[in-house]
Amino acid sequence: MVRLGDDALVLGQRLCQWITRAPTIDEDLALSNIALDLIGHARVLYTRAGQLDGSGRCEDDFAYTRSAREFTNTLLAELPNGDFAVTVARQLVYTHYAVLYYESLARCADPGLAAFGARAAKEVAFHRMHADRWTVTLGRGTGESARRMQQGLDRVWPYAAELFEEDEVLARLAVRDVVLSPAVLRETWLGGVSGVVTEAGLAVPAPAWSASGGRSGLHSEEFGPLIAELQSVRREFPGGTW
Amino acid sequence: MSGPAPATVRRSAGEVRERVAALPDPELPVISLGDLGVVGSVAPGVDGVLEVEIMPTYLGCPALGEITAAVRDVLRACGHPEGRVRQVLSPPWTTDRITPEGRRRLAAHGIAPPVSPAPTGPVPVELGAVPCPRCGSRATRPHAPFGPSRCQSVLWCAGCREPFPYLTAL
């Protein structure tokens, strides 16, 4: 739960960095609205995690008092924005995965988590539509936009594998039928994103390597400044509430 | 000589519900929380404390904090200072919960109400499915999927050549 919350919060924070810098004002609104949804998802997941693990931690404790090493988001979520095509590619990879995974959560045994999954899957489906449209628009646009969209896909693709990694924790939960292991969703995910990439007239990358480490707290160099920015207000005003 | 301030009358759950339902939505003040369909049950919890259920329209809705504060004010004014506000995700809020009066008020204020029944999941509206709230023309098409607030998108009307907000069906 904390992992999913971390993915949503960190990606939301990354998208916030587009505000006032997006290509058009419509896009500024789109990316900030998507970020808002993701931060909303993180809040629900953190709150539920704090209730279930018995620690009594609240959403703010998870977001603001953990060190970078304690975050378990995938490296995909923290990947720098790059140019707009890199952001679109990252959204494409994430949204296709998140819709599938949240839909599977909607069928899990915990009623709170199931209600969240059903709700969040619908919201991310709207984000997926946005990513699909941009992928096709850029892919079928000018030679330059197609070239950059392809570069974006090539840049992001090695980070997709981590979303479906199954470690000991996930394997244990899957065996006990608590939640589905994301590993089983990989083929469906690949079918979905490949369809969009093909429709955009682009090539599905075949990466030579796969990023890993985020789930166990090993992050990229760019992660420290991102978390520092996220936690800066709380550090300046310890104990402050919103 | 004045005695202690008179205690606020402790109003019934039904009266509290009525007052909460009459609160304006912070982002769409033309419509009340009741007409938006976000007020769930208002009833005492297991410990006897009055609980007001609020169903968020979107999980990251920035108006949730303001709504919660406004509901707390109502609870205090109704003699339930210890009352609680609870967010509930099940059953989920959908645009089908908006009342006919709510739809009428949205349209009267230039916001196209959601096309009902809501499709499964937020999907783009079809060409011409949403009449323009200004001129009634059906020659409208999607313009931007994200509008002035999270629950609105923007459509464009070929009749009056103006964009207009649409409350996205969910």
Side-chain angles (χ1 to χ4, degrees):
Chain A
M1 225 172 288
V2 176
R3 293 172 174 203
L4 296 174
D6 287 349
D7 275 347
L9 181 71
V10 169
L11 184 55
Q13 180 73 8
R14 268 285 181 241
L15 289 175
C16 285
Q17 294 179 329
W18 272 108
I19 296 172
T20 74
R21 288 167 176 78
T24 66
I25 192 159
D26 289 342
E27 207 39 46
D28 221 271
L29 284 169
L31 294 175
S32 50
N33 272 306
I34 292 172
L36 204 57
D37 282 350
L38 292 175
I39 293 166
H41 300 167
R43 294 181 66 173
V44 176
L45 288 162
Y46 288 154
T47 302
R48 191 81 190 120
Q51 288 164 351
L52 289 181
D53 72 4
S55 67
R57 281 181 291 179
C58 71
E59 45 174 316
D60 282 1
D61 294 330
F62 283 99
Y64 299 123
T65 65
R66 286 181 303 154
S67 67
R69 189 71 174 78
E70 290 170 287
F71 275 81
T72 50
N73 57 281
T74 52
L75 300 181
L76 175 83
E78 68 194 59
L79 197 66
N81 285 333
D83 76 4
F84 185 63
V86 173
T87 289
V88 170
R90 192 182 56 199
Q91 284 303 105
L92 183 76
V93 166
Y94 175 77
T95 56
H96 277 257
Y97 148 82
V99 171
L100 292 176
Y101 199 56
Y102 285 161
E103 280 174 350
S104 82
L105 273 191
R107 296 185 291 273
C108 85
D110 178 67
L113 203 51
F116 163 79
R119 179 81 227 174
K122 284 191 171 192
E123 296 186 11
V124 187
F126 201 61
H127 308 169
R128 181 178 63 182
M129 183 190 81
H130 175 258
D132 288 355
R133 278 187 176 173
W134 267 120
T135 305
V136 174
T137 302
L138 295 176
R140 291 208 200 148
T142 63
E144 175 65 6
S145 75
R147 186 184 67 79
R148 284 166 73 166
M149 190 63 234
Q150 185 66 58
Q151 272 183 353
L153 292 170
D154 294 344
R155 165 92 175 102
V156 162
W157 227 253
Y159 293 87
E162 199 183 3
L163 295 167
F164 304 98
E165 250 177 29
E166 185 179 279
D167 59 8
E168 201 203 319
V169 178
L170 282 169
R172 210 169 49 225
L173 290 173
V175 166
R176 286 167 47 206
D177 236 7
V178 183
V179 287
L180 192 70
S181 167
V184 302
L185 301 172
R186 177 123 200 220
E187 282 308 306
T188 317
W189 170 85
L190 188 62
V193 285
S194 301
V196 179
V197 171
T198 309
E199 198 193 328
L202 302 168
V204 178
W209 64 285
S210 299
S212 183
R215 291 282 188 232
S216 47
L218 299 172
H219 296 281
S220 60
E221 210 176 313
E222 294 91 349
F223 189 58
L226 185 78
I227 286 300
E229 190 181 30
L230 173 79
Q231 299 180 336
S232 62
V233 177
R234 180 59 174 253
R235 291 199 188 282
E236 202 163 329
F237 303 100
T241 51
W242 311 118
Chain B
M1 286 278 281
S2 62
T8 317
V9 186
R10 211 170 157 84
R11 300 195 181 271
S12 72
E15 283 174 300
V16 172
R17 192 178 199 290
E18 241 169 72
R19 292 190 187 203
V20 168
L23 289 169
D25 176 71
E27 285 199 315
L28 299 165
V30 302
I31 185 173
S32 69
L33 295 184
D35 281 334
L36 188 58
V38 298
V39 186
S41 85
V42 178
V46 277
D47 55 357
V49 171
L50 196 62
E51 280 185 354
V52 179
E53 288 184 350
I54 295 291
M55 305 149 107
T57 53
Y58 287 83
L59 295 174
C61 176
L64 273 176
E66 220 172 304
I67 292 176
T68 305
V71 175
R72 284 218 184 93
D73 286 344
V74 170
L75 282 166
R76 258 192 303 276
C78 289
H80 298 274
E82 74 294 352
R84 276 190 296 259
V85 187
R86 228 157 47 91
Q87 272 183 42
V88 289
L89 299 181
S90 182
W93 178 86
T94 77
T95 38
D96 283 346
R97 293 185 60 91
I98 301 175
T99 63
E101 170 62 10
R103 285 163 196 272
R104 200 191 57 72
R105 292 185 64 86
L106 285 171
H109 287 81
I111 302 169
V115 173
S116 209
T120 50
V123 295
V125 283
E126 302 292 319
L127 280 174
V130 182
C132 170
R134 210 172 284 113
C135 69
S137 165
R138 282 199 172 259
T140 61
R141 60 172 170 77
H143 173 73
F146 295 89
S149 74
R150 178 56 186 92
C151 41
Q152 298 174 68
S153 49
V154 180
L155 270 63
W156 189 77
C157 172
C160 57
R161 298 183 165 273
E162 292 280 353
F164 63 91
Y166 166 67
L167 206 77
T168 317
L170 182 75

